[in-house]
Amino acid sequence: AQSVAQPEDQVNVAEGNPLTVKCTYSVSGNPYLFWYVQYPNRGLQFLLKYITGDNLVKGSYGFEAEFNKSQTSFHLKKPSALVSDSALYFCAVRDLGSGNTPLVFGKGTRLSVIA
Amino acid sequence: ETGVTQTPRHLVMGMTNKKSLKCEQHLGHNAMYWYKQSAKKPLELMFVYNFKEQTENNSVPSRFSPECPNSSHLFLHLHTLQPEDSALYLCASSQEATGTYNEQFFGPGTRLTVL
């Protein structure tokens, strides 16, 4: 069965500094990987996804993520953080090797960008 | 968030009440989902409907009863809930097709409190 881990409950970063939100996954086949963001009192918004191709994926709001097969990781990054990036971030994985499996989410990482 | 709407946004109910949550998607998608989001826990997938057929039921108690009358509407009927059922209930939709896995679009959620 597939699983995803977000090892940090909370990440704090100063505005203008680069940010990284970590995600590792476990699947039996090839993964489809996603990042979502949730602002207060809102649903989840799609940021980016990796299916195949380039390991560096670019998404919304200047975010990008790097797929690393050997480390089974898909960390979310942004070169320069904004206060408005403060939110809850979810990594999710879908296992292509196990038939029609559902999307599995991590428990989320709260990002706080300090001015 | 106008793509997927949920009503009501907030609901307070007693353990003996019967209520329903409503979700509507305006994206022309063919799959819809109910998730439960509790504090400090991963998103829990409850039900999946593909082409109006229920394809996933993750051992959800029978006090939660889904209904999908067409591909645009999804309901979650609630009765005799427990206080531990208090959570944010999120609806999502996606376009599913053989061999492809597309991102899900989420509604803003219904914040449910069971007294």
Side-chain angles (χ1 to χ4, degrees):
Chain A
Q2 71 262 37
S3 65
V4 62
Q6 294 181 243
E8 302 154 316
D9 288 339
Q10 174 90 33
V11 170
N12 298 318
V13 64
E15 186 176 30
N17 283 3
L19 69 87
T20 299
V21 183
K22 296 179 180 177
C23 172
T24 59
Y25 66 89
S26 175
V27 296
S28 60
N30 290 319
Y32 273 5
L33 291 154
F34 301 80
W35 275 102
Y36 287 83
V37 60
Q38 186 178 31
Y39 297 100
N41 301 314
R42 306 280 290 273
L44 277 67
Q45 295 179 35
F46 168 75
L47 275 180
L48 51 81
K49 66 181 177 184
Y50 171 83
I51 299 175
T52 187
D54 288 342
N55 289 343
L56 186 64
V57 179
K58 294 188 182 297
S60 306
Y61 312 120
F63 284 93
E64 58 188 30
E66 187 169 9
F67 172 65
N68 187 317
K69 189 171 183 177
S70 62
Q71 296 185 5
T72 61
S73 67
F74 189 57
H75 301 330
L76 182 70
K77 300 181 179 184
K78 187 173 182 180
S80 178
L82 300 172
V83 172
S84 57
D85 293 329
S86 299
L88 190 56
Y89 290 80
F90 291 93
C91 181
V93 67
R94 201 161 179 180
D95 188 349
L96 300 183
S98 302
N100 190 20
T101 58
L103 197 58
V104 173
F105 286 84
K107 60 179 174 58
T109 298
R110 186 163 300 281
L111 173 67
S112 180
V113 181
I114 304 161
Chain B
E1 292 180 356
T2 55
V4 181
T5 58
Q6 289 186 245
T7 55
R9 293 293 306 274
H10 300 272
L11 178 62
V12 179
M13 59 188 289
M15 290 191 285
T16 59
N17 291 158
K18 287 186 179 182
K19 297 286 184 183
S20 295
L21 310 185
K22 179 183 176 182
C23 175
E24 183 174 1
Q25 60 97 358
H26 312 272
L27 301 168
H29 291 164
N30 57 14
M32 296 187 76
Y33 312 79
W34 279 117
Y35 288 90
K36 177 183 179 183
Q37 184 178 23
S38 305
K40 299 185 178 179
K41 292 177 68 175
L43 249 63
E44 300 173 51
L45 179 63
M46 300 175 72
F47 302 105
V48 180
Y49 278 83
N50 261 320
F51 298 97
K52 301 187 298 179
E53 298 295 323
Q54 185 176 310
T55 58
E56 193 90 19
N57 178 339
N58 278 354
S59 303
V60 180
S62 59
R63 56 186 184 268
F64 294 91
S65 173
E67 178 189 2
C68 188
N70 55 60
S71 59
S72 299
H73 292 87
L74 185 65
F75 295 90
L76 187 63
H77 303 301
L78 318 170
H79 65 97
T80 59
L81 294 192
Q82 304 298 311
E84 60 265 29
D85 296 323
S86 299
L88 182 68
Y89 288 85
L90 292 165
C91 173
S93 71
S94 68
Q95 184 62 26
E96 297 293 300
T98 303
T100 66
Y101 295 91
N102 293 314
E103 59 271 24
Q104 295 176 12
F105 291 79
F106 284 79
T110 295
R111 173 70 61 188
L112 174 66
T113 302
V114 182
L115 300 177

